[in-house]
Amino acid sequence: MPITEDLLADWTALLHRCGTTADPEPYGRELLRRWSEPQRRYHTVDHLHAVLRHIAALAGHTADPDAVRLAAWFHDAVYRPDRSENEERSAALAVRALTAAGLPAARVAEVERLVLLTVTHDPAPGDRDGEVLCDADLAVLGGTPEAYAAYAAAVREEYDFVPEPDFRAGRATVLRQLLALPALYRTPAARERFTGAARANLTAELNRLNA
């Protein structure tokens, strides 16, 4: 089954589990259209699929796994590399779409909160849903050096309109912020699996940018 149809089936099942009063398929296709926009190189359907896969692996840590899955679907649903409010716009989109789908207000508010957490990737201690979403989103940092290099190259392509010196400075700031987090990963499973590789990958990229 193609990845988009696989994801659409997952979305449809998710919305039905959450009690939608509308047909979830049309909006699922709209979300997949957004994730397939031409300006995307890293923040694509493949990224969405990877995040959902990591959430499935970490689901035992969550308080509300379906809220985390919904947040994954929306966390980069609005993505324009030349704008600085993508997460806020994505959270607002989630509120509109999930309210229209008839989901309970409390779960909609939780999804909004989770999407906004991806601005900083710094959930409060004990925020189990936030920990899983942020760990799943940052799992790419803990890949093999080859996989990390492909991720970094795709990010550079998304910002191809930014001159190289400006990109290097901005990217270095992002890397330093990630390295300065109290912990890159908060769930025990992700911390054990990804921390060492992620710190090595981030440090190596930062050194290349500063060379």
Side-chain angles (χ1 to χ4, degrees):
M1 181 184 292
I3 187 173
T4 52
E5 292 305 310
D6 192 17
L7 285 169
L8 184 61
D10 288 348
W11 163 263
T12 300
L14 173 61
L15 266 285
H16 282 307
R17 283 200 307 275
C18 293
T20 184
T21 57
D23 178 4
E25 183 174 329
Y27 208 87
R29 292 195 182 279
E30 167 61 13
L31 281 170
L32 290 168
R33 182 198 66 76
R34 287 176 173 273
W35 282 93
S36 303
E37 291 166 336
Q39 76 276 11
R40 298 171 183 258
R41 293 296 182 273
Y42 169 65
H43 296 87
T44 63
V45 168
D46 287 337
H47 171 59
L48 170 61
H49 187 246
V51 170
L52 289 167
R53 234 183 26 250
H54 289 300
I55 289 170
L58 298 170
H61 187 80
T62 62
D64 185 349
D66 281 343
V68 181
R69 292 183 180 102
L70 287 168
W73 272 91
F74 283 96
H75 80 287
D76 284 320
V78 177
Y79 185 73
R80 302 290 303 186
D82 57 341
R83 294 179 183 170
S84 61
E85 293 149 353
N86 290 308
E87 292 87 356
E88 291 84 354
R89 291 170 184 264
S90 295
L93 178 68
V95 171
R96 292 195 303 272
L98 297 178
T99 300
L103 270 61
R107 180 167 264 164
V108 173
E110 173 67 353
V111 173
E112 178 186 26
R113 183 188 74 81
L114 289 170
V115 173
L116 290 172
L117 266 182
T118 62
V119 175
T120 61
H121 294 95
D122 191 16
D127 178 5
R128 295 170 76 88
D129 291 341
E131 288 172 349
V132 168
L133 179 65
C134 291
D135 282 6
D137 196 27
L138 295 182
V140 65
L141 304 180
T144 64
E146 295 78 14
Y148 185 89
Y151 147 74
V155 170
R156 181 64 182 106
E157 285 184 45
E158 287 184 338
Y159 287 88
D160 63 355
F161 58 91
V162 178
E164 185 67 14
D166 295 339
F167 177 81
R168 282 175 171 263
R171 179 68 177 168
T173 297
V174 170
L175 299 180
R176 290 190 194 98
Q177 289 170 345
L178 288 168
L179 287 166
L181 286 172
L184 269 172
Y185 301 100
R186 309 303 177 86
T187 63
R191 191 161 53 239
E192 180 178 352
R193 180 178 175 188
F194 297 124
T195 299
R199 290 199 171 277
N201 286 330
L202 291 167
T203 301
E205 185 185 1
L206 187 58
N207 289 339
R208 286 194 298 273
L209 291 171
N210 290 332

